[in-house]
């Protein structure tokens, strides 16, 4: 049969390399070598590393985004209030 391009299957076994590694029972990377406190420290280091990658907004951008959100929420509150008032009047008209 013809193999698909980019296939990771080996011709001898017919299984992907990842399945072969899983069959050997290897535990992954740094997790297999550390206890619970080591894993917790690794998690903390990874969180700090990810937070350093974040592009934080400037004060100007933050105030602009906050203003947009507050205006949008006020508009939605007004819309819901008008719709609620309309339903209230309709129910009063129908049920007296």
């Amino acid at each position: 049969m013809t193999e698909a391009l980019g296939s990771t299957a080996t011709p001898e076994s017919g299984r992907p390399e990842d399945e072969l590694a899983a069959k050997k029972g290897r535990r992954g990377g740094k997790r297999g070598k550390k206890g619970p406190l080591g894993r917790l420290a690794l998690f903390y280091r990874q969180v700090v590393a990810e937070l350093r990658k974040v592009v934080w907004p400037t004060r100007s951008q933050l105030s602009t985004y906050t203003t947009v959100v507050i205006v949008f929420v006020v508009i939605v509150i007004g819309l819901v209030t008008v719709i609620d008032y309309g339903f209230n009047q309709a129910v009063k008209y129908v049920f007296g």
Side-chain angles (χ1 to χ4, degrees):
M1 273 195 195
T2 308
E3 291 287 328
L5 279 177
S7 175
T8 58
T10 57
E12 300 85 30
S13 65
R15 287 189 253 161
E17 295 167 2
D18 293 338
E19 287 182 20
L20 291 175
K23 296 283 183 185
K24 292 181 184 176
R26 288 187 351 172
R27 291 183 63 178
K30 297 177 182 177
R31 269 194 305 175
K33 300 174 186 171
K34 296 184 179 181
L37 291 178
R39 288 194 305 251
L40 187 62
L42 175 64
F43 175 73
Y44 177 73
R45 284 193 306 270
Q46 289 174 344
V47 167
V48 170
E50 287 298 321
L51 283 175
R52 286 186 180 142
K53 295 178 188 177
V54 173
V55 179
W56 298 99
T58 64
R59 185 174 294 271
S60 172
Q61 290 173 330
L62 188 63
S63 63
T64 301
Y65 297 156
T66 303
T67 304
V68 167
V69 167
I70 290 173
V71 168
F72 179 76
V73 167
V74 167
I75 290 171
V76 170
I77 287 172
L79 183 64
V80 168
T81 301
V82 168
I83 291 172
D84 183 53
Y85 180 76
F87 280 136
N88 188 13
Q89 294 301 317
V91 168
K92 281 183 183 178
Y93 179 75
V94 170
F95 295 110

